[in-house]
Amino acid sequence: MNPNLYPTSPKLDNYDFIKPSSEFRNSVSGVIVAIVIFLLFYMILIAIAAVVMLAAGWAGITVIATKPSFITLAAGAGIIALGIMLFIFLFKFVFSKTRDENPFRLEIKENEHPQLFSFIRNLNKDTQTKFPKKIFLSPEVNAMVFYKSSFWSLFFPVRKNLEIGLGLVNSLNVSEFKAVLAHEFGHFSQRSMKVGSYIYTVNKVIYNLVYEYDNWDNTLSSWAQTGGIFGFFARITFWIVERIRSLLKVAYNLINVSYMKLSREMEYHADLIAISVSGTESFKSALRKIEFSSFTYDYTTRYLYSLASNKKASEDIYLNHSFTTSFMASHNKISVQDGSPNITDEDIENNIVKSRVNIKDQWASHPTLKEREQNIAKVSIEAELNTNSAWTIFTNPDGVKKEVTSNLYKIGFPNVEFKSLEENEFQDFVQAEINKYKISEDYNGFYEDRHLSTFEVKELVNFDSAKGFEEIYSKENVEKIKRLESNKVDLEVLQQISLKQIQTKYFEFDSKKYKRKDAGILINSLKKEIEEEEQFVIEIDKNSFIYNYNNSKSTHKEKELVDLYQTYFQVLSTLKAIDVINIKFQNFANTLYTKPRWTEDEIRQLAAELSSLEKQFKDFLKDQVIQILTEHIDSEEQKEALREYTESNTYYSKISDFDEQSFINLSNLVHDVSGSIGIRYGNSLKKMTDFQLEQRDVLHAGRSVRY
């Protein structure tokens, strides 16, 4: 390996900062105590299950022996099977394996990428970890260490595999790439961290017992389908097991709160391991780039998916990803350095409206970016920098990019023949898509990330404009608008705290600590603030219309502006209506997939809820023009499906039964209609705001000429 490719790790005099913190040790102790309590509870369940199994065996044999017949044989066998199945249920996790499957992974060998393998060996030496069992490449902006875990992993060590996402490689320089891999290896770099790995396996075992449905459940289902007296005892077994699962869920959730706290501490510790070998700045910049590049990677794949519908496929999605990243960085006024976004503290400050409510999310397994940066800021470590692209570590990087890209299309679009997508075609498409709804920067973000206040346009046409363009669209006004939107979110969070929908005893508001019972007082206070802010925003929105109407009146195009505003408000009303329905469908889907098995009564309840939702959607469609609804739906098949559904009197769902395929079909229609209306909304806002600027510029140009 070229020695210049691997940046020299800093030689430190003091490594105390990477020793497990008191918070880490306390978290480990907390999880161990919780697990011990769970195990005691679990042993009691096993003892009860053993007694039930013995009693069921005795009762079953007694029933069969008392009066031998087919009925008594079936009943006795059912009783015996009930006891055995209950007992086996409590041990089914022994035979379960957790597989981390990803069809997009491609394994690579050392002879293919000798420099990369040498790079990782050097890093293993610096972090005092073992070389991975296997190394895989995947398409995403990601890096992870994974392995197959089971109950036996508690007793026999399992070698870890390394997955490297090429989106990550595409986003970082060599030093940043080193820092990210060091973080992954940091989870296993010290003996004390093995406790965390052990607890992770225990947690997975308990999760399997409580939540996962596997061969045991399939066997029970097959037993229930036999019917008769024998199958009757399967239904009893299912009922008993669901009660046991409910108890175990409560116990598991108590453990999981402690485990999530430990998981966050493990992330903090791995971050410190990373900066110990790569330096503080490299890891800090890597964290920021990963978050931004993940965002742009998602957009890149969406754009490519749209182009794939026209049978156009990219040969190298990472070339596309680089363009999208640079273009969006420029769009968000973020500087680009060496082909990557250089995200500064000022960029973060300018693009985020800070929430006034701060809660320690006890269910979060990872700290926030801000929390991670605060953690690594405790230590300042300088290290050698290699600002070359991380691709330089790979042999034939262009070939690797094309291989992973080709695999992505093969899996995503099997048996489809594509034409090659030229880079300039992709760039033109991205620019057109982003600029399609881009509001002019002259407005300073006045119209972005919100809906305009609703008002009666014709009531304002006789007012004179007292405010000018710069005053209405000032940065100060935009900040007030953003604060209103942020306060609305904070109000919702406070209400969730008050109703115990967010489980927390304490929270911070405006950097002051409060108890949950204090949320009500803050809610009332914040409501008053919001009311005042809403009045301000309504007035500034009205002033905006009055100013632009007077401009349009001077150019004799006031009627066009009024029509544009009325169209906007009409589309906005439609968008709000479909958003309500869409959210209900999303909530229904979340409820539906929380567990894979439902009782007959629960299925009837699901069917009734879906029927109610479908009626709301049908009623919504009655007021719409089908031609307009289908205007922005790409798939001809979906357009035709919506036409047929709108024109028919039939419903997908039935109150008496739940059909998952019908739910999927209905959800797809709702999604397509929502997307189509969203595009109409973006178009109407774009037309209106562009028209306003045109009239302003025409008027100003005319005044300049007259002057």
Side-chain angles (χ1 to χ4, degrees), residues 40-100:
L40 292 173
F41 171 62
Y42 177 60
M43 295 302 294
I44 292 171
L45 287 178
I46 290 176
I48 293 172
V51 171
V52 170
M53 181 175 65
L54 293 174
W58 175 83
I61 293 171
T62 301
V63 169
I64 295 170
T66 301
K67 190 177 181 180
S69 68
F70 175 77
I71 293 176
T72 57
L73 180 63
I79 295 170
I80 293 170
L82 183 155
I84 293 173
M85 287 293 284
L86 280 178
F87 191 75
I88 292 175
F89 167 74
L90 293 172
F91 289 95
K92 72 186 184 79
F93 63 81
V94 173
F95 308 100
S96 173
K97 289 184 178 180
T98 301
R99 298 179 182 274
D100 194 331

Side-chain angles (χ1 to χ4, degrees), residues 302-421:
R302 282 187 219 172
Y303 295 140
L304 290 173
Y305 184 86
S306 296
L307 290 163
S309 64
N310 295 323
K311 302 290 174 55
K312 288 291 187 98
S314 172
E315 292 184 355
D316 179 359
I317 67 168
Y318 301 103
L319 191 61
N320 308 136
H321 179 220
S322 294
F323 172 78
T324 307
T325 301
S326 296
F327 188 81
M328 285 193 166
S330 175
H331 182 74
N332 288 282
K333 299 181 180 178
I334 296 172
S335 64
V336 176
Q337 186 176 347
D338 298 323
S340 296
N342 181 30
I343 304 170
T344 64
D345 294 341
E346 186 179 0
D347 292 326
I348 294 175
E349 192 73 24
N350 290 340
N351 286 288
I352 296 176
V353 178
K354 294 179 181 178
S355 171
R356 298 164 70 183
V357 184
N358 184 25
I359 307 168
K360 288 289 184 183
D361 186 357
Q362 59 184 347
W363 298 105
S365 61
H366 282 61
T368 63
L369 175 64
K370 180 180 178 181
E371 289 170 336
R372 294 178 75 176
E373 287 195 6
Q374 287 174 342
N375 177 55
I376 63 175
K378 297 174 184 176
V379 185
S380 179
I381 296 175
E382 294 184 2
E384 179 189 350
L385 292 178
N386 184 333
T387 57
N388 292 320
S389 168
W391 285 116
T392 58
I393 305 171
F394 288 76
T395 303
N396 186 19
D398 290 338
V400 174
K401 297 175 192 177
K402 290 178 180 179
E403 182 183 7
V404 171
T405 299
S406 175
N407 190 51
L408 199 60
Y409 278 99
K410 283 179 183 176
I411 295 174
F413 302 92
N415 305 318
V416 177
E417 291 187 12
F418 288 103
K419 295 179 182 177
S420 178
L421 174 70

Side-chain angles (χ1 to χ4, degrees), residues 349 352-357 445-446 448-450 475-491 509-510 526 529-534 536-537:
E349 192 73 24
I352 296 176
V353 178
K354 294 179 181 178
S355 171
R356 298 164 70 183
V357 184
F446 183 89
E448 293 172 10
D449 302 321
R450 71 168 183 123
K475 290 183 178 180
E476 291 77 15
N477 283 347
V478 172
E479 283 300 315
K480 290 178 181 179
I481 292 170
K482 287 183 178 180
R483 175 50 59 197
L484 168 61
E485 298 303 316
S486 179
N487 279 342
K488 288 179 180 178
V489 174
D490 287 341
L491 177 61
F509 185 82
D510 287 341
L526 190 55
E529 281 186 48
I530 289 173
E531 287 175 6
E532 293 174 1
E533 289 168 342
E534 284 178 332
F536 171 82
V537 173

Side-chain angles (χ1 to χ4, degrees), residues 7 25 45 65 115 167 172 204 215 234 246 258 262 296 306 321 367-368 391 411 467 485 539 564 620 662 694:
R25 293 193 296 272
L45 287 178
Q115 292 190 139
L172 305 178
K204 287 296 294 180
N215 290 333
S246 296
S258 299
L262 172 61
T296 60
S306 296
H321 179 220
T368 63
W391 285 116
I411 295 174
K467 298 180 183 294
E485 298 303 316
E539 288 304 312
L564 287 170
F620 170 81
S662 294
E694 287 172 10

Side-chain angles (χ1 to χ4, degrees), residues 240-350:
I240 295 172
V241 166
E242 285 304 301
R243 305 290 82 73
I244 295 173
R245 272 192 165 119
S246 296
L247 290 173
L248 290 173
K249 283 177 184 177
V250 174
Y252 172 77
N253 288 336
L254 291 173
I255 292 172
N256 216 35
V257 171
S258 299
Y259 174 71
M260 289 298 135
K261 182 179 179 182
L262 172 61
S263 181
R264 294 191 293 273
E265 291 300 327
M266 290 170 67
E267 289 299 317
Y268 286 139
H269 185 270
D271 286 350
L272 294 176
I273 294 289
I275 67 170
S276 73
V277 299
S278 65
T280 305
E281 283 306 311
S282 290
F283 188 59
K284 180 180 177 180
S285 63
L287 287 176
R288 293 183 176 186
K289 286 183 180 180
I290 289 170
E291 192 160 281
F292 188 79
S293 295
S294 296
F295 167 76
T296 60
Y297 179 83
D298 289 341
Y299 267 93
T300 302
T301 53
R302 282 187 219 172
Y303 295 140
L304 290 173
Y305 184 86
S306 296
L307 290 163
S309 64
N310 295 323
K311 302 290 174 55
K312 288 291 187 98
S314 172
E315 292 184 355
D316 179 359
I317 67 168
Y318 301 103
L319 191 61
N320 308 136
H321 179 220
S322 294
F323 172 78
T324 307
T325 301
S326 296
F327 188 81
M328 285 193 166
S330 175
H331 182 74
N332 288 282
K333 299 181 180 178
I334 296 172
S335 64
V336 176
Q337 186 176 347
D338 298 323
S340 296
N342 181 30
I343 304 170
T344 64
D345 294 341
E346 186 179 0
D347 292 326
I348 294 175
E349 192 73 24
N350 290 340

Side-chain angles (χ1 to χ4, degrees), residues 455-473:
F455 50 83
E456 187 56 53
V457 173
K458 292 184 178 179
E459 292 180 358
L460 302 177
V461 296
N462 295 320
F463 282 76
D464 290 329
S465 178
K467 298 180 183 294
F469 187 92
E470 288 76 13
E471 186 178 359
I472 293 170
Y473 302 110

Side-chain angles (χ1 to χ4, degrees), residues 384-595:
E384 179 189 350
L385 292 178
N386 184 333
T387 57
N388 292 320
S389 168
W391 285 116
T392 58
I393 305 171
F394 288 76
T395 303
N396 186 19
D398 290 338
V400 174
K401 297 175 192 177
K402 290 178 180 179
E403 182 183 7
V404 171
T405 299
S406 175
N407 190 51
L408 199 60
Y409 278 99
K410 283 179 183 176
I411 295 174
F413 302 92
N415 305 318
V416 177
E417 291 187 12
F418 288 103
K419 295 179 182 177
S420 178
L421 174 70
E422 300 298 327
E423 176 61 12
N424 65 304
E425 289 182 86
F426 177 80
Q427 293 179 2
D428 291 344
F429 181 80
V430 171
Q431 289 173 333
E433 284 296 301
I434 292 178
N435 290 329
K436 189 184 293 183
Y437 309 111
K438 183 181 178 182
I439 306 300
S440 172
E441 293 179 3
D442 287 7
Y443 291 114
N444 285 320
F446 183 89
Y447 292 100
E448 293 172 10
D449 302 321
R450 71 168 183 123
H451 298 141
L452 289 183
S453 311
T454 305
F455 50 83
E456 187 56 53
V457 173
K458 292 184 178 179
E459 292 180 358
L460 302 177
V461 296
N462 295 320
F463 282 76
D464 290 329
S465 178
K467 298 180 183 294
F469 187 92
E470 288 76 13
E471 186 178 359
I472 293 170
Y473 302 110
S474 67
K475 290 183 178 180
E476 291 77 15
N477 283 347
V478 172
E479 283 300 315
K480 290 178 181 179
I481 292 170
K482 287 183 178 180
R483 175 50 59 197
L484 168 61
E485 298 303 316
S486 179
N487 279 342
K488 288 179 180 178
V489 174
D490 287 341
L491 177 61
E492 187 175 338
V493 173
L494 287 174
Q495 289 170 334
Q496 289 174 339
I497 293 172
S498 179
L499 295 170
K500 299 183 180 179
Q501 293 171 343
I502 294 177
Q503 296 296 322
T504 182
K505 292 182 180 179
Y506 301 96
F507 64 95
E508 290 183 357
F509 185 82
D510 287 341
S511 301
K512 293 182 180 179
K513 192 172 183 179
Y514 293 90
K515 295 180 179 179
R516 183 174 57 214
K517 65 180 182 180
D518 300 325
I521 299 172
L522 294 172
I523 287 170
N524 292 331
S525 173
L526 190 55
K527 279 182 177 178
K528 290 179 181 178
E529 281 186 48
I530 289 173
E531 287 175 6
E532 293 174 1
E533 289 168 342
E534 284 178 332
Q535 286 303 311
F536 171 82
V537 173
I538 289 171
E539 288 304 312
I540 204 68
D541 281 343
K542 287 181 177 180
N543 282 323
S544 170
F545 170 76
I546 293 168
Y547 167 81
N548 289 296
Y549 180 82
N550 287 329
N551 280 352
S552 302
K553 192 174 180 180
S554 299
T555 60
H556 308 291
K557 290 193 175 183
E558 66 272 23
K559 186 178 182 304
E560 291 181 46
L561 182 72
V562 169
D563 289 343
L564 287 170
Y565 263 86
Q566 289 177 332
T567 299
Y568 169 83
F569 285 132
Q570 182 184 5
V571 177
L572 175 59
S573 176
T574 308
L575 180 66
K576 288 180 177 179
I578 193 62
D579 278 350
V580 170
I581 296 172
N582 201 19
I583 289 170
K584 287 180 179 179
F585 268 88
Q586 290 173 13
N587 291 338
F588 183 88
N590 291 337
T591 301
L592 177 64
Y593 296 115
T594 51
K595 61 179 182 179

